[in-house]
């Protein structure tokens, strides 16, 4: 993918911001604070779209399981937006559906992509270590 460290650092910042908002809402006993998580989700979602596009572009350089997982990510992302339309028009006034669809589902998709990139980074690290080992013995 390129710069795994930057991806993990940005993901950690977004996660820390979300946890801070959750902790603040719990400590202040103000559920209205949870809506601030949306301010974290918007840039996180944009970052994930860019990374997802990049993953789709380079997945040919990785094993078949990576292609499958990248495809699953895009299916999940597309399904999220289809589901959002369903919630919008079929469950307009049913707030639990809105809360689940706006907060739980996107973070689940984000965790899925994070785990995929984590495994890709580990695979890349192993490949580099093997290359260095081969170069050591070939000289």
């Amino acid at each position: 993918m390129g710069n795994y460290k930057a991806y993990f650092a940005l993901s950690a910042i977004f996660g820390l911001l979300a946890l801070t908002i959750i902790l603040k809402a719990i400590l202040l006993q103000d559920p209205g604070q949870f809506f601030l998580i949306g301010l974290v989700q918007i840039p996180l979602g944009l970052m994930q779209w860019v990374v997802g596009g990049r993953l789709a572009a380079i997945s040919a350089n990785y094993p078949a399981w990576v292609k499958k997982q990248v495809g699953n990510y895009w299916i999940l992302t597309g399904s999220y937006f289809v589901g959002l339309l369903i919630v919008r028009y079929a469950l307009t006034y049913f707030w639990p559906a809105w809360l689940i669809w706006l907060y739980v589902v996107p973070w689940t998709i984000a965790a899925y992509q994070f785990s995929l990139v984590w495994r890709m980074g580990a695979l890349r690290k192993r490949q580099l270590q093997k290359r260095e080992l081969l170069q050591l013995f070939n000289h």
Side-chain angles (χ1 to χ4, degrees), residues 10 53 58 135:
L10 281 172
I58 65 165
Q135 287 177 350

Side-chain angles (χ1 to χ4, degrees), residues 14 21 34 45 50 52 56-57 67 90 124 136:
F14 287 127
I21 291 168
F34 286 115
V50 170
K67 282 184 188 180
R124 181 73 176 142
L136 179 67

Side-chain angles (χ1 to χ4, degrees), residues 87 91-105:
V87 169
L91 302 169
T92 302
Y93 299 108
F94 188 61
W95 279 103
W98 276 104
L99 292 176
I100 290 169
W101 211 256
L102 290 176
Y103 294 104
V104 176
V105 175

